[in-house]
Amino acid sequence: MQRQTDSAAQRIICATQINIQGGARCVNPDKTLRYGPAMKIIDLEPGDPRLESDLLPVLSELRPHLTPELFRGVYEAGHPQGLRFSAAYADDGRCVGAAGWRIVNNTSTLRNLYVDDLVTAAASRSAGVGHALVAHLDAHARAAGCHELELDSGTHRTGAHRFYLRERFDIVAFHFSRPLTAPEEPS
């Protein structure tokens, strides 16, 4: 169901909210969405202190190598390339989920929303956080005219794979990687 709103940005986000048990509704024009009675998802802009205080501890569960300095550097370089972060908050104010994502134009899918990172805090798993984040990203993708929502997942993350399949993602490709740095010499 689409709500009438005053803000163009809010109209875009509100127009595409679908398939969320309990529903989602816009609560204000600052890109904050509330999913069900106990969770809201906020798109965090560069310089927002919640990136490090709230989102980074959750993101570090997936990416333990990220220090605050490294995270700042990645976001500074990635934001002009389209990198964005969304944080899911429980009703008590705790950040319980994080998503890093970008809109990508390419020859294979033409336009897609690529998910760099998707993680739910360990203590909050199986409570609908991941589902709400996927729905939030789906809304962004549809509003941006994307044809697909895509992500890669490490082969060892079988629990995550079960989640993605439940969320109607298909396994459509293999992702290949070749390191460009030489291995360290043994001492």
Side-chain angles (χ1 to χ4, degrees):
M1 169 179 272
Q2 182 175 351
R3 283 182 56 171
Q4 296 292 351
T5 62
D6 297 329
S7 158
Q10 190 178 23
R11 255 193 319 278
I12 290 169
I13 293 171
C14 289
T16 58
Q17 298 165 11
I18 58 170
N19 298 328
I20 304 167
Q21 186 173 2
R25 59 185 171 80
C26 286
V27 294
N28 58 43
D30 71 351
K31 300 181 184 175
T32 301
L33 300 178
R34 186 167 296 282
Y35 291 85
M39 188 176 6
K40 66 180 176 179
I41 297 179
I42 301 172
D43 296 326
L44 301 175
E45 296 296 327
D48 190 318
R50 295 174 293 186
L51 284 163
E52 286 186 36
S53 65
D54 299 354
L55 184 132
L56 183 57
V58 176
L59 184 59
S60 293
E61 292 185 30
L62 178 64
R63 310 280 187 228
H65 62 279
L66 286 178
T67 62
E69 297 78 23
L70 185 55
F71 178 63
R72 279 192 300 273
V74 166
Y75 201 22
E76 277 180 26
H79 190 268
Q81 300 169 353
L83 179 60
R84 302 294 183 266
F85 285 99
S86 301
Y89 287 89
D91 61 347
D92 63 3
R94 287 176 304 115
C95 182
V96 293
W101 55 276
R102 63 186 79 224
I103 304 295
V104 176
N105 294 291
N106 60 33
T107 58
S108 62
T109 61
L110 303 180
R111 187 169 180 86
N112 71 70
L113 188 147
Y114 182 80
V115 182
D116 293 16
D117 310 288
L118 182 64
V119 60
T120 298
S124 300
R125 294 204 178 120
S126 298
V129 176
H131 178 74
L133 280 166
V134 168
H136 182 76
L137 298 173
D138 185 90
H140 275 297
R142 290 175 187 273
C146 295
H147 301 283
E148 292 183 355
L149 183 62
E150 295 185 338
L151 58 81
D152 290 325
S153 182
T155 55
H156 65 285
R157 298 181 41 78
T158 55
H161 302 162
R162 284 190 296 273
F163 168 76
Y164 299 137
L165 291 169
R166 278 194 313 270
E167 292 294 316
R168 299 179 322 187
F169 284 85
D170 294 322
I171 301 169
V172 297
F174 290 103
H175 177 93
F176 294 93
S177 177
R178 185 170 96 180
L180 298 177
T181 55
E184 290 186 27
E185 296 288 325
S187 32

